[in-house]
Amino acid sequence: MQCEKLFSTRAHQLKSSAIREILKVTANPDVISFAGGLPAPESFPVAQMKAAFDAVLSKEPQAALQYSTTDGYAPLREWVAKRMSSGGANIVPEQVIIVSGSQQALDLIAKVFIDTGDKVLVETPTYLGALQAFSMFQPNYVSIDSDENGLNADAITADVAKDAKFLYALPNFQNPTGRMMSEERRAKLVEKVREHDLLVVEDDPYGELWYESAPPASLLSRMPERVIHMGSFSKVLAPGLRLGYLIAPIEITQKFEQTKQATDLHTSTIAQRVVYEVVKDGFLEEHIPLIRERYKNQAHTMLDALSHHMPSGVKWNQPAGGMFLWLTLPEGLDSERILAQVIKQNVAYVPGTPFYANNPQHNTLRLAFVTVPAEKIQAGIKILGQAFAKL
Ligand code: PMP
C-alpha cells in the first residue's frame, strides 16, 4: 500500500535528521558519548520507588490501577502548589495540572496557542524538543539574542513583541547551553514582558540541580499572572516515570485540561500516586543534594578536561548547575561535519545547529557530562581536543 500519500501535511514536514542518524552509533558501549541528555541512572531512587509501589498497591490498589481525572491526582497537585509557593509565588492547586512528562506540556502549549504562522519568541539557541513540539503547528519563530547571562530582554522591542503568542524561556541551566539567566536579566525581562503585554512559558526541569547556590527567583514568582511554568520529576527522580506539571493562570489551566483530555485522558494514575508517596514526607530534601553533588563533580571533571585538552580559539561556559555545557569552535568550523569524523574515533556530541530556530551557528556544540565516568570524560575530551587542533 502507498501509505505516504495518506500522510497529513503535518506528518509530511517531519524529517529524520542527519544528526540523529550519525548518533545512532552511540548505542555502542565503546563510544564515549557526550551526546545524550540523560540523567545519571545511579541517582534513580530505586529502593524508594520499590517501597512506594508496594505501599500504593497495598493501600488502594484498585484506585491506583483505575482511570483518573485529567487534571491529576489531587494530593500531588496540592504538593506541587505548596512547593512552588515556597519559591515566592502564591500558587493554588487549581492552577496545577499534572502532565505526562513536561514534553507533553510543550505539546499542550502548542495546541492551545499556536495557529499556522503565529509568532513565537524563543531563545538563541533553545531546547530542540520544544522546537519539535511547537513546529507541529507551524509557527513563525523569532529568535531573541542570548549570551552567557541568558536571554537578552533588550532585544524584545515593541516590533519583536507585536502579536507574539508567547516567549519560551529557559532561565535555569538551559538545555542546550547550561546557561543561567542572571538576576539583572530576569528583572529586565519582567519589565519588558509587562511593557509589551507578553505571555511567558518558563521551562524549568533543571532549576533544582544547582552546584553552589540556588538560581535567582523564578519568572513565575515575579509575574504569576503572565507565566506558564513547566516543571518535571524527570531530573529529580526518574524520567521513565513520565511525570511533570504545568502551572498557569486558572483560565489557561482549564484550556490545558480540555486539550489534555483529548490527548491522553490523564497522566498514569499509578505513577502519580507512587511519586506522591515518595515525595510527600520530604524525600527530595535529602535526595536532590546528592544529585547536585554528583553533577557538580562531573562538571568539574569536564571543565578540567577541557582546560587541559582544548586548543586555543575554542571557548566554553562554566555551568553553575544542570547537565550541559556549550562549546564554540573558531569561526568557519562546522561541528556537524567534525562529528562525522570524531565518531570514527568513538566520541560523540550533539552539534549546535538543531537548537537554533533561525540562523544556526555551525561552530557550536553541546556536551552532556553527567552519565560519563571521569576517566572517559578525560579520554573523550582529549580526542576532541586533538581533532579540533588539526582543523
Ligand atoms: N524541557 C527541557 C528543557 C528538557 O531538557 C527536557 C528533557 N530533555 C524536557 C523539557 C522534557 O522533559 P520530561 O518530558 O522528561 O519532563
Side-chain angles (χ1 to χ4, degrees):
M1 191 182 177
Q2 283 276 317
C3 298
E4 219 189 294
K5 65 174 195 256
L6 304 177
F7 291 153
S8 66
T9 315
R10 183 175 299 116
H12 272 298
Q13 50 154 15
L14 299 173
K15 305 241 165 2
S16 75
S17 90
I19 296 170
R20 208 169 275 274
E21 290 307 307
I22 302 175
L23 290 175
K24 274 187 182 156
V25 301
T26 57
N28 173 352
D30 293 336
V31 174
I32 301 174
S33 178
F34 303 119
L38 308 183
E42 299 84 353
S43 69
F44 300 158
V46 178
Q48 285 75 13
M49 283 292 159
K50 262 191 185 162
F53 266 100
D54 204 38
V56 164
L57 286 172
S58 305
K59 274 190 278 186
E60 289 186 281
Q62 273 137 0
L65 296 170
Q66 187 56 284
Y67 283 119
S68 55
T69 56
T70 303
D71 50 13
Y73 182 49
L76 186 61
R77 293 172 74 205
E78 281 159 29
W79 180 89
V80 169
K82 199 161 158 219
R83 189 171 173 85
M84 295 309 291
S85 296
S86 72
N90 180 21
I91 305 300
V92 295
E94 292 71 29
Q95 287 178 264
V96 180
I97 176 159
I98 306 294
V99 290
S100 304
S102 59
Q103 189 65 30
Q104 180 178 58
L106 293 166
D107 177 57
L108 298 179
I109 289 165
K111 286 173 174 165
V112 166
F113 291 100
I114 305 175
D115 287 317
T116 305
D118 278 351
K119 191 196 276 187
V120 169
L121 311 184
V122 295
E123 295 185 7
T124 313
T126 190
Y127 171 50
L128 171 59
L131 292 177
Q132 288 171 327
F134 299 160
S135 292
M136 284 280 186
F137 299 87
Q138 297 168 288
N140 170 26
Y141 293 114
V142 175
S143 294
I144 308 295
D145 181 47
S146 314
D147 62 20
E148 301 307 307
N149 292 313
L151 183 148
N152 182 2
D154 281 329
I156 308 177
T157 59
D159 197 37
V160 165
K162 188 173 179 294
D163 297 330
K165 284 297 181 84
F166 58 85
L167 161 71
Y168 172 65
L170 303 116
N172 295 327
F173 322 127
Q174 198 233 33
N175 186 359
T177 60
R179 291 170 182 165
M180 184 186 80
M181 200 187 294
S182 66
E183 169 59 41
E184 203 188 334
R185 286 280 174 87
R186 289 177 201 226
K188 185 83 190 176
L189 181 61
V190 172
E191 220 177 86
K192 289 283 175 189
V193 160
R194 289 217 167 103
E195 182 186 334
H196 300 306
D197 194 25
L198 276 172
L199 177 68
V200 178
V201 173
E202 177 178 43
D203 188 1
D204 189 25
Y206 304 106
E208 306 248 32
L209 309 182
W210 44 266
Y211 305 151
E212 303 290 348
S213 54
S218 67
L219 302 178
L220 176 73
S221 68
R222 292 166 199 253
M223 42 179 179
E225 73 289 356
R226 48 178 75 245
V227 170
I228 298 170
H229 182 96
M230 299 164 46
S232 176
F233 291 98
S234 291
K235 312 297 177 341
V236 293
L237 284 178
L241 293 160
R242 308 309 304 127
L243 215 62
Y245 49 89
L246 263 171
I247 298 169
I250 286 175
E251 58 192 306
I252 301 182
T253 309
Q254 287 167 347
K255 260 304 161 219
F256 284 143
E257 188 183 344
Q258 292 160 1
T259 309
K260 181 171 163 64
Q261 189 157 35
T263 303
D264 69 347
L265 300 181
H266 63 80
T267 296
S268 158
T269 315
I270 191 161
Q272 294 187 69
R273 283 174 177 253
V274 164
V275 164
Y276 178 68
E277 184 69 26
V278 170
V279 299
K280 69 181 170 48
D281 297 321
F283 172 69
L284 290 183
E285 271 45 72
E286 56 186 85
H287 184 59
I288 294 176
L290 304 178
I291 308 177
R292 286 181 192 139
E293 193 58 25
R294 176 182 285 276
Y295 288 11
K296 180 171 85 176
N297 291 337
Q298 292 286 122
H300 282 172
T301 306
M302 175 59 101
L303 290 167
D304 180 61
L306 288 167
S307 63
H308 272 93
H309 299 299
M310 282 298 138
S312 63
V314 176
K315 297 198 191 84
W316 59 91
N317 58 320
Q318 311 254 335
M323 310 186 346
F324 309 109
L325 64 75
W326 193 242
L327 206 83
T328 307
L329 301 172
E331 207 69 46
L333 294 185
D334 180 346
S335 66
E336 198 171 328
R337 207 172 46 75
I338 302 168
L339 173 65
Q341 296 167 19
V342 297
I343 210 132
K344 293 182 193 137
Q345 294 170 273
N346 285 344
V347 185
Y349 57 77
V350 184
T353 43
F355 298 100
Y356 291 86
N358 318 91
N359 307 325
Q361 262 187 275
H362 296 282
N363 59 330
T364 58
L365 59 102
R366 187 189 77 177
L367 295 174
F369 46 75
V370 303
T371 54
V372 188
E375 64 285 1
K376 288 198 170 179
I377 291 183
Q378 291 287 354
I381 294 300
K382 187 171 176 189
I383 292 170
L384 288 185
Q386 286 165 348
F388 298 155
K390 277 198 215 132
L391 298 162

